[in-house]
Amino acid sequence: MKRFSACCFTSRISKFHSHRKHNQSQIMAGNISDPSGSKGANILLNHDFSSGLSSWHLNSCSGYVISAETGAQGGISRELSANYAVITDRKECWQGLEQDITDRISTGYTYTVLACVGVSSLSQGSSDVLATLKLEYHDSATSYLFIGRTSVNKDSWQKLEGTFSLSTMPDRVVFYLEGPAPGVDLLIRSVEINCSTPNNNTTSTACVSAGDDNIIINPQFDDGLNNWSGRGCKIMLHDSMNDGKIVPKSGKFFASATERTQNWNGIQQDITGRVQRKLAYEVTASVRIFGNNVSTADVRATLWVQAPDLKEQYIGIANLQATDKDWVTMQGKFLLNGSPSKVVLYLEGPPPGTDILLNNLVLKHAAKTPPSSPPDVKNVTFGVNIIENSTLADGTNGWFPLGNCTLSVKTGSPHIVPPMARDSLGPSELLSGRYILVTNRTQTWMGPAQIITDKVKLFLTYQVSAWVRIVSGSSGPQNVNVALGVDNEWVNGGQTEVSDNTWHEIGGSFRIEKQPSKVMVYVQGPASGVDLMVAGLQIFPVDRHARLRYLKIQTNKIRKRDVILKFSGLDSGSYANTSVQVRQTQNDFPIGTCISRSNIDNEDFVDFMVKHFNWAVFGNELKWYWTEPQQGNFNYKDADDLLSLCQKHNIQTRGHCIFWDVDGVVQQWIKSLNNNDLMTAIQNRLNGLLTRYKGKFNHYDVNNEMLHGSFFQDRLGKDIRANMFKTANQLDPSATLFVNDYHVEDGCDTRSCPDKYIHHILDLQEQGAPVGGIGIQGHIDSPIGPIVSSSLDKLGILGLPIWFTELDVSSINEYVRADDLEVMLREAMAHPAVEGIMLWGFWELFMSRDNAHLVNAEGDINEAGKRFLALKQEWLSHSRGHVDEQGQYNFRGFHGTYNVQVVTPSKKISKTFVLDKGDTPLVLSIDL
């Protein structure tokens, strides 16, 4: 948008007046050395630059923040307790600092602006600083609204003050400070925009606050039930209940939501106009339940949001198990991507007839989580077993039986280290050949155990390895699990299924991130009465970075190709003076993300997505329960909107999913159908979805998680699964059809181990199902490279492309999360069978798991996100040099799109080319 560039204030004032028919402004200016605060809630984010220049935008210039400890800048004395921003490299008067405030202001209210400003690099005299609004309209020209100005000398801070109000709401409102002549640095110590009603100076509830004040009105019911209402039920005020047995935890009163007939009934408050988009908010509530002979029940905090087009959205904020014994604290966060017309916060959840009690509720702008520090892991000897007497040379010393079982030592177990552990440890000594025999087992959890509390260090990733076997004679396959009891919480260290009279490898991993008081490891699983054998149990910390060097070499082998640039039309005497610069602009390897309809209302989310991902998958919007929640009631608009965005930015898409075989996610109306009607509904689903989107989705997950669910097969027989694939292929032959399941790669779920997945795929193919790809979801904890790679090797024998379809990793420490993510991405890139990676989201509060995000809720990229971007940058090839004596330039690069610039003594030539996969060098002729 073209800006007015005149530096003279009077030359612009006429421009401002020309728009006064749309906007009213009252102007004040003054010269006060140290401005004081004003009433109301400041709507500007980071108004005092305590977070650097976060939330601010530099308008075609540069800037930085001088912290409180730095001292004076530009000759201006200042209090040591305040930061200030320096706006420099200004080539025009209008260049300065700006912030979008569209969603924080409303028509009909007066806003007061108060700023503390200064200048530096001013040779003499004074300079004007202006506060301005830029008003953008889709259907008319952008206008500028003058707010106020002040004249500033180079040696002092000055106060800039003004007010404004809007009678009509533009599509976008940007506040900015500008004015000094080019070359003069603009200094800003603080800025406030406070909201007042037209008739008085009290803060209006329509003013949106980004501060620390509680947004909830009457949060402890000191004003009775004012501002509260029942959601489908009655609410009542109490100072006590149940003959005085229930009293407030704090304050004098509490409220109850009573006469509830539905789970969604509860107590609510309309918070419309008090929260703003793209800000994270935290909810804290003190709750309990009462009545209906229910002692515990889920209580949920939910946000009901209505868009201007009347579309509704429900956002889950928090969920906890409340009791009738005491008050419990519920906490959660939320963020609004769009600009809602109405927002209601309410509590719901317990079964009908059970009252929800609320003592207080606080809703505030969430404080930013401090960045993680790298874990303090010193004096770690990687690869050393922390299990005592693992060789059993000292009998069962160090071990104890968990439960009433009996432990004894026998001989005859394998002498070699299990393969997955060997890949991590390298050359190792032979095992002893001794094993623990566990007899007299009367419960599945009984087995050998050790206490390892003092041997486990926080944030280290431990690999688990053992040989296990059961005594013959058991009835059917038996599950064996290496488990950890961490303060009475079960942690899975690996599982395998044992079905014959041979030794089986068990492999897994774990990590502990909070200081425990007790850690016990034990081996369990087989049915009572089944004897268990355990040999060579090892638990050792893994140096995951050591494997990364190997993975880089493998990646270069399989993801790169040699290129020979042959130049013609150039005198051989000019070869040495001809330079070549090759830059890769895009790596063609698919790296995508999960997105949802609400995400794309946030332009910051969209910007990150289109910059860093070339594929996308929809989290829920294509699933049957979303597109047809009630029979015949279709909703394809959300999927259409997402698909349109992806097509606009040339992002390829996966269709997830046509069906989902897990009983708990099947719509009730489908479950109620008889078998004939169910078959008809399945056919209608296939016809409706694949006809509508024919040729638009590159992949489909046909029937999600068939290793963990069997609803359709149980109802309609085994053939239904293969028939789903056959019909989908007939309706859209261009789409690759995938199976998709979880815990395939991590060794912690016997239902979906690689062997069972292979058997499942072969079984489908034998029935004629055109299975074209293998989906590994990749919701993984504390990943170990050799375990993941072993699973990929096994699945690779099928010759089908493997995709990680829903990859996420989780750690409260961003550096550990970054390590986990790097392990998974590098293992995938280094394995020839893997042809794509989809992350299951990247933005905080919009992922299925906590502590898995790469970008914090308000847009800051965390350490995991930085690692991801660094890897993306590493996987771009760049090269520069000169033409050799043969008139060629050779390099090796990742597959993808390149730009080559050739500079001869007389000309410069630029050419774009694509490097596809291939076993022989790509020879590219360039005529100079």
Side-chain angles (χ1 to χ4, degrees), residues 181-219:
V184 177
D185 291 350
L186 171 60
L187 312 181
I188 308 168
R189 180 167 156 183
S190 65
V191 196
E192 295 184 8
I193 300 180
N194 298 309
C195 174
S196 302
T197 64
N199 299 322
N200 57 58
N201 204 37
T202 60
T203 302
S204 164
T205 59
C207 301
V208 178
S209 172
D212 295 328
D213 296 333
N214 189 1
I215 293 168
I216 296 297
I217 301 172
N218 188 25

Side-chain angles (χ1 to χ4, degrees), residues 194-464:
N194 298 309
C195 174
S196 302
T197 64
N199 299 322
N200 57 58
N201 204 37
T202 60
T203 302
S204 164
T205 59
C207 301
V208 178
S209 172
D212 295 328
D213 296 333
N214 189 1
I215 293 168
I216 296 297
I217 301 172
N218 188 25
Q220 288 193 294
F221 308 100
D222 294 324
D223 193 20
L225 294 174
N226 285 339
N227 296 102
W228 295 94
S229 62
R231 189 172 184 85
C233 62
K234 291 183 179 180
I235 60 172
M236 297 180 66
L237 184 69
H238 308 268
D239 56 12
S240 67
M241 280 180 68
N242 195 24
D243 297 327
K245 295 178 182 177
I246 300 176
V247 295
K249 182 178 181 180
S250 63
K252 299 179 180 179
F253 305 102
F254 61 92
S256 67
T258 187
E259 298 183 23
R260 299 174 60 254
T261 60
Q262 304 288 335
N263 291 73
W264 54 265
N265 295 156
I267 184 169
Q268 66 181 7
Q269 186 168 134
D270 189 325
I271 58 172
T272 306
R274 285 180 269 155
V275 290
Q276 67 190 55
R277 64 188 294 258
K278 301 200 300 184
L279 276 190
Y281 291 92
E282 185 170 47
V283 174
T284 305
S286 183
V287 299
R288 66 189 293 172
I289 58 172
F290 176 74
N292 201 28
N293 294 318
V294 176
S295 59
T296 63
D298 280 341
V299 174
R300 299 188 296 272
T302 306
L303 208 65
W304 176 77
V305 180
Q306 187 177 61
D309 62 1
L310 302 184
K311 182 178 178 180
E312 297 180 339
Q313 180 188 6
Y314 294 87
I315 300 174
I317 302 171
N319 183 358
L320 94 167
Q321 190 82 172
T323 76
D324 63 348
K325 301 293 188 297
D326 203 356
W327 296 97
V328 290
T329 300
M330 166 189 289
Q331 284 187 306
K333 292 182 180 180
F334 70 88
L335 179 142
L336 298 175
N337 286 308
S339 300
S341 60
K342 194 165 186 179
V343 185
V344 175
L345 174 64
Y346 67 98
L347 301 184
E348 61 171 337
T354 303
D355 293 353
I356 301 173
L357 310 186
L358 174 63
N359 185 201
N360 61 70
L361 196 151
V362 177
L363 171 60
K364 291 184 177 182
H365 178 218
K368 289 194 174 184
T369 304
S372 301
S373 298
D376 183 16
V377 284
K378 297 177 181 177
N379 303 319
V380 177
T381 307
F382 292 108
V384 174
N385 190 8
I386 65 173
I387 292 296
E388 180 183 350
N389 186 27
S390 64
T391 65
L392 304 174
D394 197 16
T396 58
N397 284 343
W399 298 88
F400 64 89
L402 188 62
N404 296 323
C405 57
T406 303
L407 308 184
S408 59
V409 177
K410 304 291 182 180
T411 59
S413 60
H415 286 271
I416 61 169
V417 173
M420 287 185 286
R422 194 163 62 244
D423 287 345
S424 292
L425 295 170
S428 304
E429 294 183 3
L430 294 177
L431 300 179
S432 67
R434 290 183 284 267
Y435 66 91
I436 294 177
L437 173 65
V438 190
T439 56
N440 300 319
R441 299 177 63 255
T442 58
Q443 300 288 337
T444 58
W445 48 264
M446 289 184 178
Q450 279 196 22
I451 301 298
I452 57 172
T453 312
D454 297 333
K455 301 175 183 179
V456 178
K457 294 189 177 183
L458 298 185
F459 294 109
L460 280 182
T461 302
Y462 289 88
Q463 184 167 345
V464 178

